[in-house]
Amino acid sequence: MNIIVSQEIETVCPGFVGAAVEARAENTPHSDGLWAEIDALSERLRRELTPDAVKRLPAVEATRRVYRACGKDPSRYRPSGEALMRRVLQGKPLYQIDTLVDLVNLASMAFGYSIGGFDADKMAGDTLTLGIGRDGEPYEGIGRGPLNIAGLPVYRDAIGGVGTPTSDHERTKMTIDTRHVLFLVNGYDGDRTRVGQTAAYLQDLLRRYAASDGGTVTFYE
């Protein structure tokens, strides 16, 4: 997959760096080992963080700053990395979806980045462009219905939007039948090393819980 960062994103976030993990994998309804890791991290976050501290994490703070620069309220349309950690801090369990979705959520909480998780075989064309959502642009968020993405960073394929840091699109979501995944780590903080560590962690989770060789990592900026 060829990924292009548009000029409009470069204007609001000149240091943006992303990492794409593309791999073959097998999905399962549930993984006990993965959920043991999720529960352990959730407990650690409850001990170490407060909601205000979450907002100050570099990956979260940078994403919120870009939202505001694009004209979106990050407290109303929370980036997924922040939303997951806030849910845990409120004492609520994470939603258990399936192994591929759950491991993306684990990586997002572990590093603070909003990570898109897609069924790569559902993408239209071979190019994704990261831009900014427009007024009236149609978009159906996973489990959310129609989502107003005006002012949100958005990846578009040949048909339209597929992913924002707040919610990915129903059209390209992963399901139990997904065998070809594309994960996108959104480094609005510009920390290439940290983004790379997140991608490597995703590869490790794929190897351990999704019968994968970990696939390949490509940086884009």
Side-chain angles (χ1 to χ4, degrees), residues 65-132:
R65 184 169 59 250
V66 168
Y67 270 40
R68 288 190 291 268
C70 292
K72 210 68 167 177
D73 181 356
S75 295
R76 183 178 178 188
Y77 295 85
R78 291 195 189 280
S80 61
E82 177 187 0
L84 289 166
M85 286 187 280
R86 289 178 65 90
R87 182 175 180 83
V88 163
L89 294 184
Q90 291 167 359
K92 300 176 182 177
L94 292 189
Y95 297 109
Q96 192 259 304
I97 309 299
D98 57 49
T99 296
L100 289 176
V101 173
D102 298 341
L103 69 82
V104 168
N105 288 343
L106 172 58
S108 189
M109 287 200 305
F111 287 87
Y113 294 113
S114 293
I115 303 171
F118 308 95
D119 186 322
D121 290 337
K122 296 178 181 177
M123 294 287 185
D126 61 0
T127 300
L128 290 176
T129 301
L130 178 57
I132 299 174

Side-chain angles (χ1 to χ4, degrees), residues 25 42 44 87 101 105 137 148 154 164 174 199 220:
S42 297
R44 180 169 67 81
R87 182 175 180 83
V101 173
N105 288 343
E137 184 171 359
N148 175 14
V154 58
T164 74
M174 299 182 294
Y220 55 96

